[in-house]
Amino acid sequence: MVPRMQTSASSRLLFAILLGGSVACSSDSGTEQAAGMLASSAGAGGAPSSPTASAGSSPAGAAGEQEAAPGGSAGARGSEGPNVVQIADPGADGATPAPGSTPGGALAADAGSPSPARGACPTGPFAASPLPAGASPQPVCTGLTFIEGPVWFQELNTLFFSDFQIRDAASNFNGRILSYAPGTGNQCQEFITNSGTNGLVIGLDGNLLGARHSDQTLTRFDLATKQTSVLVPNFNGQPFNSPNDIAIRSDGNLYFTDPSYMLGNRTSVLPTQTYRRDPGGALTVIDTAGSPNGITLSPDETRLYLSHLGGPNDVVVYDVDASGAVSNRQPFANVSSDGMGIDCAGNLYTTQAQTGVTVFDPEGNRIGTLAAPGAANVAFGGPDRKTLFITATGTLFAVELAIPGLPY
């Protein structure tokens, strides 16, 4: 179990100010507004209707959408495109400040840093099925562009997620980070503009850690100042393609995927691979299968799940030892998945754009499917962490389930 992030009263006050406005999101590509907050009007279009969960649903087909490359050309299939992170010095204790940013002193050494706020799971017993009868995802906000990478901050009662297919004036996908705080009128608002992120997690210091396709790095976002510092810049001096998703263990081990979905017109130097960054900063390749995408850890952090878009055995599972090293790669589910999430009973939630969220028990048996067209990623949140948030193309969905889960 992992202790929750401790948030100061001043931080909570700051967030009450930052998130207090009832401003919704639209698909307009990020117009800067006053008071340090960028916001746009709510989309008027209705969300897709969502059938109820069905047990024993048939396997979903290959997931992923065409992603346009910068400059207007179509990119590879797949809905995730986190930014690449590179490590300037594998043994360095500190993060590398991004150009124009202030170094984040709180992100000094990984060893001995506070644990990430995955949250402690209750011991159970848990419900026989996580899917209550009639469970049906409902739209929270609509009219967005292509949303991904949800992460729930329990202390802030806030979900953060990326809207990553928004172009700047040069047709690059800079995107933005959005926030949603339940109880504020079911509206989402822009939190950080031009973030260039896809996957998001809670960093060791309690701030956001994002996979950035805009500069091909893993980058820390200070929640109070919104300033950035690069944590992982490259692999052996070579730029990543477009890192996609991140999982973080309580001891500081990072696991992240690097497909080429958001590479755009840039030249690919490295193969599309999956990496581990140990607490000392050393990077190693842990999986070389093509089209890596979602990645997540089991609640006890002894298993690592990895998804690929297309091909047999799309979801695989690794054993994770005490040091964080992985071994014993095994097929888990022959279903193509984008992002993934996990509940406290160890059930795995996979996403398919064509159907929604398909749930598997820890042995790989299919439990059922939640209908959410365009589903790309999931995260648990809410006061008891039983609310499953689903990012699905331009709509954020939410559904109440029977078992609590992890916040990313």
Side-chain angles (χ1 to χ4, degrees):
M1 296 185 189
V2 183
R4 293 192 327 192
M5 172 183 67
Q6 298 300 313
T7 305
S8 67
S10 60
S11 295
R12 289 194 293 271
L13 176 60
L14 174 62
F15 266 78
I17 295 170
L18 290 174
L19 302 176
S22 57
V23 183
C25 302
S26 77
S27 58
D28 187 14
S29 59
T31 305
E32 295 193 10
Q33 299 185 13
M37 288 173 47
L38 301 175
S40 50
S41 59
S49 59
S50 302
T52 58
S54 57
S57 302
S58 59
E65 283 75 35
Q66 287 286 346
E67 294 189 354
S73 60
R77 288 180 60 205
S79 62
E80 290 192 299
N83 297 326
V84 197
V85 179
Q86 301 172 331
I87 298 179
D89 178 2
D93 288 335
T96 303
S101 71
T102 299
L107 193 64
D110 285 348
S113 296
S115 297
R118 294 185 84 208
C121 277
T123 57
F126 300 110
S129 171
L131 306 181
S136 177
Q138 299 299 312
V140 171
C141 54
T142 62
L144 307 175
T145 306
F146 201 127
I147 55 176
E148 255 286 8
V151 55
W152 174 260
F153 278 69
Q154 188 76 21
E155 297 294 332
L156 302 175
N157 188 45
T158 299
L159 182 80
F160 295 96
F161 55 102
S162 298
D163 193 5
F164 72 99
Q165 283 199 2
I166 296 176
R167 296 179 186 272
D168 62 12
S171 294
N172 299 311
F173 286 115
N174 278 347
R176 56 185 176 173
I177 293 175
L178 305 176
S179 65
Y180 167 63
T184 59
N186 278 355
Q187 293 180 326
C188 301
Q189 61 188 15
E190 192 169 84
F191 181 66
I192 296 177
T193 188
N194 297 328
S195 64
T197 55
N198 190 313
L200 301 172
V201 297
I202 302 171
L204 291 175
D205 62 349
N207 286 294
L208 277 171
L209 181 63
R212 300 187 78 186
H213 50 257
S214 58
D215 66 357
Q216 300 169 297
T217 66
L218 290 187
T219 293
R220 167 190 181 267
F221 292 83
D222 187 291
L223 287 175
T225 67
K226 303 183 183 179
Q227 295 194 39
T228 62
S229 52
V230 174
L231 178 62
V232 185
N234 54 51
F235 180 58
N236 293 335
Q238 301 297 320
F240 295 111
N241 296 288
S242 60
N244 188 281
D245 206 356
I246 315 169
I248 185 169
R249 215 170 76 142
S250 58
D251 60 0
N253 274 281
L254 292 174
Y255 310 89
F256 62 97
T257 57
D258 181 35
S260 59
Y261 308 136
M262 298 297 288
L263 183 63
N265 293 328
R266 293 170 292 194
T267 301
S268 179
V269 177
L270 294 169
T272 58
Q273 302 176 131
T274 302
Y275 298 88
R276 170 197 172 208
R277 179 188 189 268
D278 71 21
L283 272 176
T284 55
V285 176
I286 61 173
D287 192 279
T288 58
S291 301
N293 207 301
I295 194 164
T296 194
L297 286 158
S298 62
D300 64 2
E301 303 185 331
T302 63
R303 306 178 87 189
L304 180 72
Y305 297 91
L306 171 64
S307 69
H308 305 85
L309 283 177
N313 300 321
D314 297 289
V315 179
V316 299
V317 61
Y318 286 90
D319 293 334
V320 184
D321 68 18
S323 73
V326 302
S327 63
N328 191 30
R329 185 186 196 270
Q330 296 290 321
F332 181 78
N334 190 11
V335 58
S336 188
S337 181
D338 196 329
M340 297 186 294
I342 202 157
D343 68 24
C344 289
N347 300 309
L348 186 70
Y349 295 69
T350 66
T351 56
Q352 294 82 40
Q354 296 174 345
T355 54
V357 181
T358 305
V359 187
F360 296 87
D361 70 17
E363 286 71 48
N365 301 308
R366 187 183 301 269
I367 295 175
T369 297
L370 293 161
N377 217 328
V378 295
F380 282 88
D384 56 4
R385 295 225 312 268
K386 290 184 178 179
T387 303
L388 183 71
F389 292 102
I390 306 168
T391 55
T393 311
T395 301
L396 176 66
F397 289 96
V399 59
E400 296 301 312
L401 300 184
I403 299 176
L406 298 178
Y408 50 82

